[in-house]
Amino acid sequence: MLLTSTLIACANRGTVVLLPEKDGKPTAVVVKENDRETVLDKPYAAVRQTPFGARPFMSTPEEVATKFGAALASQPQRAVSFTLYFVEGKDEFADESKRVVESIFSEIAKRPVPDVIVIGHTDAVGSDQINDALARQRAEAVRAELIRRGVAPENIQASGRGKREPLVPTPDGVAEPRNRRVEIFVR
């Protein structure tokens, strides 16, 4: 059975059910038994192990609640992501990002032991060395603000990716405000 981070499957006594994503994005899972594969690519598509091999069927929300309700209720909350944008060449928030900060703290407060990942990025202006340092500086500035506002330091990981993972691909030397960002994942 192959599971990705964007999908949830419930398994019980040889049954696998593909659950819908909260955001409605399509997902899929491939269930393998010996040399036979069954692709589940619609919400509530399912496969059950029988004495005659795997048999696909369509489950329902009610059936999932009955069979898997306790397991689903015990799952941790899904990760939530936020993006903060920065002024060019600085670790200072752009105006629109200042309003997002409160949402981040609200989400962190909902979790008994939050796990926060902070990843800094830059646009393609400047050298790799300068952008790596700036991306790390931006991530550390966000981490410091989280700590200042009460998040335990051991619950926050910060890193910088420089210009390696642009949100908007551009040639070297091109300033793109959407690439000057910090991504925050709250788990």
Side-chain angles (χ1 to χ4, degrees), residues 100-174:
V100 175
V101 173
E102 291 308 315
S103 300
I104 297 167
F105 289 104
S106 174
E107 188 61 39
I108 290 171
K110 294 177 187 176
R111 297 163 191 271
V113 182
D115 179 28
V116 182
I117 299 171
V118 181
I119 304 171
H121 301 272
T122 65
D123 62 20
V125 175
S127 69
D128 285 343
Q129 184 178 12
I130 289 171
N131 282 319
D132 288 347
L134 180 57
R136 180 69 184 194
Q137 183 179 344
R138 288 174 174 165
E140 289 297 337
V142 171
R143 183 177 189 275
E145 181 63 14
L146 293 170
I147 292 168
R148 188 184 74 73
R149 302 224 4 217
V151 180
E154 62 272 11
N155 294 346
I156 309 167
Q157 300 172 35
S159 65
R161 302 273 167 75
K163 60 184 177 181
R164 287 175 197 75
E165 298 174 6
L167 189 62
V168 178
T170 65
D172 232 15
V174 174

Side-chain angles (χ1 to χ4, degrees), residues 28-96:
V29 63
V30 176
V31 179
K32 292 184 180 183
E33 179 193 16
N34 299 323
D35 61 345
R36 184 167 181 217
E37 292 185 356
T38 304
V39 177
L40 307 178
D41 59 0
K42 293 180 178 38
Y44 301 103
V47 64
R48 179 177 293 124
Q49 178 62 33
T50 72
F52 306 104
R55 297 289 185 242
F57 68 101
M58 286 302 293
S59 188
T60 65
E62 297 78 22
E63 181 180 22
V64 168
T66 300
K67 289 185 177 181
F68 306 109
L72 291 171
S74 69
Q75 286 185 322
Q77 294 179 2
R78 290 184 179 200
V80 177
S81 65
F82 300 90
T83 303
L84 300 174
Y85 296 97
F86 288 80
V87 174
E88 185 174 4
K90 299 183 180 181
D91 65 359
E92 178 185 324
F93 293 138
D95 289 337
E96 69 269 17

